[in-house]
Amino acid sequence: KAGVTQTPRYLIKTRGQQVTLSCSPISGHRSVSWYQQTPGQGLQFLFEYFSETQRNKGNFPGRFSGRQFSNSRSEMNVSTLELGDSALYLCASSKNSGKADEQYFGPGTRLTVT
Amino acid sequence: AQRVTQPEKLLSVFKGAPVELKCNYSYSGSPELFWYVQYSRQRLQLLLRHISRESIKGFTADLNKGETSFHLKKPFAQEEDSAMYYCALRGNTDKLIFGTGTRLQVFP
């Protein structure tokens, strides 16, 4: 079974631009969660989508948004990029949404904002 | 508030030595706790979860509700255990909250 895939793997953007990252979950998984990983803050939860609905949201500004499509693929968008948005963005998928479900992580998208 | 604390950024041991990676949490209800591991150039993966009460790759972790801890232990470290280890908590909101991670270095 193919794992979680994320595209692109690397991205360089300029301050003020916007960016869209994509995540394809494992086949049959309906939940997709997004995380931001930085050296200073570690792994921080951004949001979770399940059956095309946002189920949970972390403490990030409104510049960070996401969506999920009917095939469970998910995108996250960051508008008006800031230098501090430079990070590794990870997505994880699970069969369902809830405490008991194991999350499988993708390789991440490394975003650099200059 | 839900919080996970991993007090050690780096833990260095020699092969064959015991290992204990500390994790303390803050949560008022009944959390579910996990240990995730990230080997060099690999993706983050689940190592073990407290409800399974199993040993994976020789690692065990016991939930101590009195001390709000979920320390990861292994009696004899191997070089291939060198990796980044993250403790994580899932509470009633179902969000997965991670600690800042501990890098384990096992020297030969």
Side-chain angles (χ1 to χ4, degrees):
Chain A
K1 187 158 43 168
V4 177
T5 58
Q6 291 186 245
T7 56
R9 293 293 310 279
Y10 302 91
L11 207 47
I12 299 175
K13 290 284 188 179
T14 305
R15 264 182 307 176
Q17 287 185 313
Q18 74 157 14
V19 67
T20 300
L21 312 181
S22 180
C23 172
S24 292
I26 291 171
S27 177
H29 285 195
R30 295 189 296 162
S31 171
V32 173
S33 298
W34 288 90
Y35 299 85
Q36 182 194 64
Q37 187 176 26
T38 58
Q41 301 294 321
L43 276 151
Q44 291 187 285
F45 174 80
L46 279 155
F47 28 65
E48 180 197 3
Y49 285 87
F50 179 74
S51 293
E52 302 177 66
T53 301
Q54 188 180 86
R55 227 189 134 254
N56 262 311
K57 192 175 189 312
N59 298 325
F60 279 82
R63 299 184 298 107
F64 291 81
S65 63
R67 59 178 175 168
Q68 187 178 34
F69 302 94
S70 57
N71 62 357
S72 295
R73 189 176 70 85
S74 176
E75 289 182 345
M76 69 162 275
N77 185 277
V78 188
S79 62
T80 322
L81 283 165
E82 300 177 0
L83 294 178
D85 298 333
S86 294
L88 182 68
Y89 290 87
L90 296 172
C91 86
S93 76
S94 58
K95 277 189 180 175
N96 294 298
S97 178
K99 268 188 184 180
D101 284 277
E102 178 178 346
Q103 293 194 350
Y104 295 83
F105 282 82
T109 294
R110 170 81 55 193
L111 172 65
T112 303
V113 182
T114 62
Chain B
Q2 301 174 26
R3 181 176 292 169
V4 177
T5 303
Q6 293 179 253
E8 303 141 328
K9 282 191 174 180
L10 174 65
L11 184 62
S12 299
V13 300
F14 285 101
K15 178 182 169 182
V19 169
E20 183 178 52
L21 296 160
K22 295 190 187 315
C23 172
N24 288 90
Y25 67 90
S26 172
Y27 182 68
S28 55
S30 292
E32 184 161 354
L33 285 145
F34 306 82
W35 277 99
Y36 280 82
V37 61
Q38 189 166 27
Y39 300 102
S40 179
R41 288 185 292 279
Q42 292 187 30
R43 56 186 72 187
L44 195 62
Q45 57 186 284
L46 179 66
L47 180 62
L48 53 79
R49 59 206 302 180
H50 90 270
I51 59 169
S52 301
R53 300 184 66 80
E54 56 191 344
S55 173
I56 304 291
K57 300 184 179 184
F59 284 98
T60 59
D62 290 316
L63 177 60
N64 185 323
K65 289 188 177 181
E67 295 182 0
T68 59
S69 68
F70 188 56
H71 303 327
L72 184 67
K73 299 177 185 178
K74 185 169 182 176
F76 309 104
Q78 303 299 314
E79 289 178 68
E80 55 266 31
D81 296 329
S82 296
M84 195 75 184
Y85 291 82
Y86 294 94
C87 181
L89 172 154
R90 206 172 211 175
N92 58 352
T93 62
D94 290 338
K95 296 180 194 179
L96 199 57
I97 308 296
F98 284 88
T100 49
T102 298
R103 179 166 298 284
L104 175 63
Q105 285 183 331
V106 182
F107 294 110

